[in-house]
């Protein structure tokens, strides 16, 4: 949206409120008193209509009403170039940003703003993290109403809901959600579970029937077996590395013996492979 920040005094009577809202009298009185005491601290924002000496209000309805209540006929305004739809959107954003959100309202407002703004802009306007805004926007874009409802009620955090939403079938999504609720897995663990199940389905010739066996209990069993398998692989890797270090150190000791190297030369075995030489050099550094 292109904006030119030019401030002018605009007749209040020439300003059209596109998205009028009812304000509490107490709040309006507070603003009237503030403007009467210290003046208008922030101009309103308007867009000039084409072919007419009239303006559309983008931001600042309460400020304009307070100035009008004080008997003033004009008000300082920032002029921007914006369509009627853009003015309504700017007004909506200002209202959302000022509201004290409940968790449900916050999630729904992010979903509304995601249609026109990127996650970093939403995060800045609403005072939430980019990860939170990005996650909720993703769920809203992909129509994940069930997961959005779970986020609204605080059952799952947004980032974890996104991992569940990436599952290829509703049944797998439901099993992952149940696994989280029952076992309190982390987002990384849920992502690992999802990828593990989908990898196995791709390899299976009966992948089209595999969903029949998916449930939270089977996912947890699969995760535990995979964790145990990886631990065994890690232990084998550590053992292999220890044996390799022992062999390399033993070979270095032998290569330092003159009689051994002479014997190797006589047998034509004195040329050591380059990878072994590199390991010997690395172990000595």
């Amino acid at each position: 949206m292109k904006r030119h920040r030019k401030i002018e005094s605009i007749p209040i009577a020439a300003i059209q409120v596109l998205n009028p809202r009812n304000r509490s009298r107490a709040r309006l009185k507070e603003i009237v008193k503030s403007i009467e005491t210290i003046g208008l601290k922030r101009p309103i924002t308007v867009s000039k209509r084409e072919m007419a000496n009239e303006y559309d209000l983008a931001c600042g309805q309460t400020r304009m009403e307070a100035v009008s209540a004080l008997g003033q006929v004009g008000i300082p305004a920032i002029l921007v170039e914006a369509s009627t739809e853009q003015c309504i959107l700017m007004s909506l954003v200002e209202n959302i940003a000022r509201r004290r959100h409940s968790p449900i309202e916050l999630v729904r407002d992010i979903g509304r703003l995601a249609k026109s703004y990127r996650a970093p802009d939403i995060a800045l306007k609403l005072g939430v993290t980019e990860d939170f805004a990005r996650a909720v926007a993703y769920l809203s874009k992909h129509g994940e109403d069930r997961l959005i409802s779970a986020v609204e009620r605080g059952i799952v955090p947004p980032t974890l809901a996104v991992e569940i939403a990436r599952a290829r079938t509703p049944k797998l999504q439901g099993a992952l959600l149940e696994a989280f609720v029952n076992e309190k897995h982390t987002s990384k663990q849920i992502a690992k579970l999802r990828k593990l199940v989908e990898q196995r389905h791709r390899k299976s010739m009966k992948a089209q029937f595999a969903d029949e066996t998916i449930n939270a209990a089977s996912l947890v069993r699969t995760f535990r077996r995979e964790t145990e398998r990886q631990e065994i692989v890690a232990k084998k890797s550590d053992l292999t590395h220890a044996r390799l270090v022992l062999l390399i150190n033993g070979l270095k000791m032998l290569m330092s013996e003159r009689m051994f190297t002479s014997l190797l030369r006589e047998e034509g075995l004195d040329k050591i492979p380059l990878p072994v030489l590199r390991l010997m050099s690395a172990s000595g550094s």
Side-chain angles (χ1 to χ4, degrees):
M1 186 185 300
K2 184 179 178 182
R3 298 185 190 180
H4 299 293
R5 297 187 64 85
K6 181 181 179 183
I7 299 178
E8 293 185 7
S9 179
I10 305 296
I12 294 176
I15 300 173
Q16 175 73 26
V17 180
L18 298 173
N19 187 27
R21 289 168 302 279
N22 293 325
R23 308 291 187 181
S24 70
R25 290 185 175 275
R27 178 58 180 161
L28 180 59
K29 286 181 179 179
E30 287 179 7
I31 296 177
V32 169
K33 185 176 180 180
S34 173
I35 294 175
E36 187 177 26
T37 304
I38 61 176
L40 183 67
K41 294 187 291 185
R42 189 159 59 96
I44 64 172
T45 303
V46 298
S47 175
K48 193 174 188 301
R49 292 182 179 180
E50 294 182 4
M51 308 295 293
N53 192 26
E54 295 182 350
Y55 303 84
D56 289 330
L57 179 69
C59 303
Q61 178 183 339
T62 307
R63 279 168 280 157
M64 185 176 72
E65 290 174 352
V67 168
S68 179
L70 290 170
Q72 299 181 26
V73 296
I75 185 171
I78 299 173
L79 296 180
V80 298
E81 294 180 3
S83 64
T84 299
E85 292 76 14
Q86 288 172 330
C87 286
I88 294 174
L89 181 60
M90 291 165 64
S91 176
L92 174 65
V93 170
E94 183 185 47
N95 265 299
I96 291 175
R98 291 177 178 273
R99 186 186 307 163
R100 292 182 179 179
H101 295 85
S102 67
I104 292 178
E105 289 175 335
L106 182 60
V107 170
R108 291 177 180 174
D109 285 340
I110 290 175
R112 293 163 69 188
L113 293 180
K115 297 176 182 178
S116 303
Y117 291 94
R118 299 180 301 112
D121 298 326
I122 296 173
L124 184 63
K125 294 176 187 300
L126 301 187
V128 298
T129 66
E130 285 189 25
D131 287 342
F132 184 90
R134 188 174 291 108
V136 174
Y138 177 92
L139 295 174
S140 178
K141 179 180 178 181
H142 290 82
E144 297 291 350
D145 295 337
R146 177 175 61 169
L147 290 171
I148 289 175
S149 177
V151 172
E152 288 176 346
R153 290 179 287 159
I155 296 175
V156 294
T159 51
L160 189 140
V162 168
E163 287 299 339
I164 295 175
R166 288 173 177 156
R168 67 185 186 88
T169 65
K171 189 156 189 176
L172 179 54
Q173 285 186 359
L176 289 171
L177 182 58
E178 186 180 349
F180 167 75
V181 172
N182 294 338
E183 301 287 335
K184 295 301 179 185
H185 290 296
T186 65
S187 296
K188 289 184 178 180
Q189 289 172 334
I190 290 293
K192 188 180 293 184
L193 263 174
R194 175 180 59 79
K195 292 175 183 177
L196 179 62
V197 172
E198 291 177 344
Q199 285 171 358
R200 292 187 175 186
H201 283 189
R202 282 194 293 269
K203 293 177 182 178
S204 173
M205 296 297 292
K206 297 181 180 180
Q208 63 270 32
F209 306 111
D211 277 353
E212 296 177 5
T213 63
I214 292 178
N215 53 54
S218 66
L219 288 181
V220 172
R221 286 195 300 271
T222 300
F223 179 76
R224 287 173 179 168
R225 284 198 297 266
E226 179 64 16
T227 301
E228 291 171 359
R229 186 190 69 80
Q230 291 182 1
E231 289 176 352
I232 292 172
V233 170
K235 289 179 180 178
K236 287 182 177 179
S237 176
D238 291 341
L239 180 59
T240 301
H241 180 264
R243 288 173 175 172
L244 180 60
V245 170
L246 181 62
L247 289 172
I248 292 297
N249 289 335
L251 183 58
K252 286 181 65 177
M253 290 179 63
L254 289 173
M255 293 301 294
S256 65
E257 296 288 338
R258 185 175 299 177
M259 291 181 61
F260 181 74
T261 55
S262 297
L263 181 61
L264 288 178
R265 279 195 298 270
E266 290 174 4
E267 297 295 330
L269 299 174
D270 56 324
K271 292 185 178 180
I272 300 176
L274 183 59
V276 177
L277 283 175
R278 287 174 176 168
L279 287 173
M280 292 173 63
S281 175
S283 66
S285 59

